[in-house]
Amino acid sequence: MLEIDRLNLSIGDKPILKDISLSLQPGRILGVVGESGSGKSLTALSIMQLLPRASQTSGSVRFKDQELLGAEDVLMQDLRGDDISMIFQEPMTALNPVHTIGDQIAEGIALHAKVSRAEALDRAAKLMGRVGLPPKTYPLARYPHELSGGQRQRVMIAMACAQKPSLLIADEPTTALDVTLQAQILNLLRDLVEEDGMGLMLISHDLAVVAEMTDDIVVMRNGEVMDAGPTGSILRKLAHPYTAQLAKASTHIPTRTRPPVLTDDCRAASLNPLVETRGLVRDYPTPRRSLFKAGRPFRAVDRVDLTLYPGQSIGLVGESGCGKSTLARMVLALDKPTQGELLFEGKDLTHLDDDELKTTRRHMQVVFQDPFASFNPRHKVERLVAEPLYLEPELSPVQRRDRVLAALDEVRIGADALDKYPHEFSGGQRQRLAIARALITRPKLIVADEPVSALDVSIRAQVLDLFAELRERLDLTYLFISHDLSVVRAICDEVMVMEHGRIVERGPSAEIFDNPQAPAAKRLVEATPNLERAIANRHDD
C-alpha cells in the first residue's frame, strides 16, 4: 500500500531526512518512534505532500500505484481525506475555531461522498458516537473551544476516519487523552484496521503504546532510520543501542534522596498546610432550556477538600473532563469558586480581588502542558521568563536580568538563550523555559498541568529529573496534574483520583497504583500502557 524508498528532504540548505525507507501493507499497523526532531512528522507530511515551500525532496513515495512526490495538487486533493487521512497531534491547529464541530466533520463527507448536507451531518453524528462523543451529550452545534483537549482530539479522529481511508497516518493521536480514552481510541483504530483492511502508520513517543498496537516498527533519529523490523522482535532483543536507550527512558523513575512527605507525618510534626480547600464547588452556566426555563448549571468541581503541606508532591489524575484543570485554576486563585473556601498559608483567598491577590500570587506559579501556546512568539526569552516579575515592580532592569539568568541556570539553559525566540528551541527546551518562568518569583507552590505529556520519552525523563531535583533543592511543593500514571507514580508522594468533579480516592502513590479501590482508579490503572507487559503479551517472534 505504501512504499517509501530512499526519501531525502532538505529545507533550504539543511538536510532533514536522509535515505528513509519503509513500507506498510494493507491491514497492518506500522509504528514510527523517535525523539523530537527525529523526522517522524516530516516523513508523514512528505506522504501527504504538505511540506514547507522551501522543501526539496528526492527518492520515491508510492501509494498503491501512484507516485506522490511531486504529484499535482489536483491528485493530492482527491487523495487527502478520502484515500489518505491524517490525525494531527494538536487538534486546535487543525480545527477551525469559527465553525461548529458538526460542520467540520460533515464538510469532508459532503465533498468526497457527494451527499447532501443533511446526510453528511447524519453520518457525522454516527462518527461522533463511535469516538465516544454521543451527540446527545456533545451536540454537533458546539465549537472547538467548548470541548476539552481530549474531546477535540476525538473530533479530529472522527474527521480523519469519516471516509474509511485506505491509509491513515496518526501523528501522536492520543497525546492529549487520558489513559482510558487512549485505550478506547486505540481500540477504535485497531478495529478500523481489522474491519476495513486499512493501513495505519502510528507515530508515537510512547513505546508501550507502540508495543501493544503495532505489527512493525521503525526507529528514527536525526532524520535517519536507526532500527526497523517486526515490533516484538525489535523490542525484545533491543539489539540497537538507540532502541535500548528509548526503552530505558520509557520506564525512567527520578532518583529521590529524601523519603516521600506523607500527610500523617506532616500532622505529627504540626506543620501548617500550604494550601487548603474546604468544600470547593465550581458551577458553570448552560444554555437556557426554553424561553421560560434556565439551563441547569454544570458542576465541574463538587465539594473538594484538599490539603497540601509544604514540600509535598501530590498527583491529581482522572479522565478527561473530570475537573482536574478547573480545580487547579481555583487553587491558583484564577477562578473563583461557586461555594467553599481556598486558604493559602492560612489566609482565605476566596473573596479577594486581583489587587489583594498580588502578594500571594508571588508564591504560586504554573507550568502548562504546551509551553509554546503560553509564550508570546514575538517576545524573546528574557522578556518571556521575566513576565511574572510584574508582581515585583520594585526591581531594577539589572536586578530583573539577574533573576532571569539565575532562573535559566536553575533549568540548565545558558545565557545565550536570552535573545532567542521560542520557535528556536526544541519542545523539551521550551518546557525548561516554562519551568524557569515559574521559578523566577521563588514560589512555594507550582501547579504542573500535564507538563510532560507532549514530550518524547528521552526529554520526558530529563524534565522529570529536573522537577525532582528542583523540589529537593528549592523545597518546592507540587500539585502535579497528569493523565500519565507512570509519571505521577515517578514524581509524586501521594495521588488523588478525581471523577465527575469529586475526589474518589487518595493515598500514597504506590498503594493507589498497586491496589486501587475506587472503580475510577481501577479503570485508570488497568488502562495504563506498560512496556514490559505489552512485550510479554505479544505472541509474535
Side-chain angles (χ1 to χ4, degrees):
M1 177 181 291
L2 175 69
E3 185 79 33
I4 299 180
D5 183 32
R6 289 175 292 179
L7 170 65
N8 290 276
L9 166 68
S10 298
I11 299 179
D13 296 328
K14 185 175 182 179
I16 306 295
L17 300 179
K18 307 154 195 171
D19 286 331
I20 300 294
S21 294
L22 57 86
S23 62
L24 175 60
Q25 308 301 322
R28 290 182 72 83
I29 304 176
L30 172 68
V32 181
V33 300
E35 295 174 296
S36 296
S38 63
K40 305 185 300 293
S41 294
L42 279 171
T43 300
L45 294 175
S46 298
I47 300 168
M48 298 293 289
Q49 289 293 282
L50 294 173
L51 294 167
R53 291 186 184 278
S55 301
Q56 299 172 337
T57 57
S58 65
S60 174
V61 177
R62 293 191 69 81
F63 171 70
K64 297 182 177 177
D65 60 346
Q66 295 170 313
E67 176 60 52
L68 302 186
L69 280 193
E72 296 289 332
D73 284 346
V74 175
L75 171 63
M76 293 308 303
Q77 286 165 9
D78 271 345
L79 291 176
R80 292 190 202 113
D82 193 7
D83 294 293
I84 307 174
S85 279
M86 185 165 178
I87 302 167
F88 295 93
Q89 180 175 356
E90 178 43 64
M92 274 306 274
T93 62
L95 293 173
N96 191 322
V98 300
H99 291 296
T100 65
I101 56 176
D103 281 343
Q104 294 188 63
I105 298 172
E107 180 184 20
I109 298 172
L111 178 67
H112 290 289
K114 305 293 192 291
V115 297
S116 68
R117 183 174 183 273
E119 170 67 16
L121 285 170
D122 184 59
R123 291 193 193 181
K126 292 175 181 175
L127 282 163
M128 287 280 285
R130 194 169 185 193
V131 298
L133 297 174
K136 285 186 179 180
T137 309
Y138 303 94
L140 297 180
R142 284 193 179 184
Y143 289 87
H145 73 271
E146 297 178 289
L147 301 175
S148 70
Q151 290 161 353
R152 288 194 291 262
Q153 189 64 294
R154 282 182 276 169
V155 172
M156 271 294 303
I157 291 168
M159 290 173 64
C161 298
Q163 291 302 108
K164 294 187 176 180
S166 300
L167 171 62
L168 178 62
I169 302 168
D171 189 357
E172 303 281 6
T174 59
T175 294
L177 306 181
D178 63 68
V179 289
T180 52
L181 289 177
Q182 173 176 268
Q184 177 188 338
I185 293 302
L186 292 176
N187 286 333
L188 170 62
L189 294 176
R190 190 185 287 113
D191 289 345
L192 289 170
V193 170
E194 293 174 357
E195 293 169 14
D196 305 327
M198 179 178 75
L200 172 61
M201 181 176 173
L202 177 64
I203 300 171
S204 179
H205 61 246
D206 192 330
L207 271 186
V209 167
V210 171
E212 286 183 356
M213 279 286 294
T214 65
D215 303 300
D216 305 288
I217 188 172
V218 170
V219 182
M220 294 182 65
R221 185 183 195 185
N222 297 331
E224 298 182 73
V225 172
M226 296 283 105
D227 204 359
T231 301
S233 176
I234 293 292
L235 293 182
R236 279 197 192 95
K237 295 175 182 175
L238 297 177
H240 194 285
Y242 181 63
T243 309
Q245 177 185 323
L246 288 180
K248 184 178 180 182
S250 296
T251 55
H252 176 74
I253 297 177
T255 302
R256 299 184 185 185
T257 58
R258 67 178 183 184
V261 181
L262 301 179
T263 308
D264 290 342
D265 297 334
C266 296
R267 291 199 187 101
S270 300
L271 283 178
N272 294 319
L274 179 67
V275 177
E276 192 173 6
T277 71
R278 299 171 182 168
L280 220 55
V281 171
R282 186 65 166 98
D283 291 335
Y284 288 102
T286 60
R288 298 187 68 85
R289 288 182 284 171
S290 69
L291 182 62
F292 301 105
K293 285 187 177 181
R296 292 175 181 169
F298 172 72
R299 181 151 290 186
V301 173
D302 189 4
R303 291 169 291 178
V304 168
D305 295 325
L306 161 68
T307 306
L308 191 55
Y309 287 93
Q312 263 193 314
S313 178
I314 290 186
L316 181 61
V317 302
E319 296 180 355
S320 180
C322 71
K324 302 187 299 293
S325 294
T326 303
L327 176 59
R329 287 196 298 271
M330 287 194 287
V331 168
L332 289 164
L334 297 174
D335 275 0
K336 289 193 177 294
T338 308
Q339 299 173 31
E341 296 178 308
L342 166 67
L343 285 78
F344 189 89
E345 295 186 314
K347 182 179 181 181
D348 189 352
L349 308 184
T350 313
H351 305 293
L352 301 184
D353 60 29
D354 284 344
D355 286 337
E356 293 170 317
L357 283 170
K358 275 187 178 180
T359 303
T360 303
R361 282 194 171 136
R362 296 184 185 190
H363 304 304
M364 51 175 71
Q365 288 294 332
V366 61
V367 178
F368 295 102
Q369 177 177 356
D370 182 2
F372 200 57
S374 63
F375 287 153
N376 188 325
R378 300 178 199 169
H379 292 168
K380 293 181 179 179
V381 163
E382 181 173 3
R383 181 170 175 179
L384 292 171
V385 174
E387 192 173 15
L389 293 180
Y390 82 94
L391 296 168
E392 302 180 29
E394 68 277 6
L395 292 176
S396 70
V398 172
Q399 291 173 316
R400 193 178 298 265
R401 173 170 271 230
D402 287 344
R403 291 278 288 273
V404 171
L405 288 170
L408 291 176
D409 185 61
E410 295 280 11
V411 299
R412 308 291 187 266
I413 288 184
D416 59 336
L418 287 176
D419 293 322
K420 292 182 179 179
Y421 291 94
H423 72 269
E424 297 180 76
F425 297 89
S426 69
Q429 289 170 325
R430 284 197 290 266
Q431 197 60 288
R432 286 174 179 268
L433 291 174
I435 296 170
R437 181 172 63 179
L439 292 174
I440 200 164
T441 61
R442 285 292 180 261
K444 298 176 181 178
L445 169 70
I446 288 184
V447 176
D449 192 355
E450 301 281 9
V452 296
S453 64
L455 304 179
D456 65 64
V457 290
S458 300
I459 304 301
R460 183 183 72 171
Q462 295 172 19
V463 173
L464 288 178
D465 280 339
L466 178 62
F467 271 113
E469 176 198 338
L470 291 173
R471 176 193 170 191
E472 298 193 0
R473 185 150 45 87
L474 304 178
D475 200 30
L476 294 171
T477 304
Y478 289 143
L479 179 61
F480 211 94
I481 302 170
S482 180
H483 60 247
D484 188 332
L485 270 64
S486 63
V487 168
V488 172
R489 184 167 192 161
I491 203 78
C492 297
D493 310 323
E494 293 194 18
V495 63
M496 299 185 299
V497 181
M498 200 167 186
E499 183 183 34
H500 303 313
R502 295 184 176 185
I503 304 299
V504 295
E505 188 165 358
R506 176 175 179 170
S509 298
E511 288 183 18
I512 297 292
F513 295 136
D514 291 340
N515 188 28
Q517 299 299 310
K522 290 179 180 178
R523 286 197 304 272
L524 289 172
V525 171
E526 289 168 2
T528 300
N530 180 284
L531 180 59
E532 294 176 357
R533 183 181 64 209
I535 294 172
N537 288 341
R538 294 187 67 93
H539 301 295
D540 54 354
D541 292 329

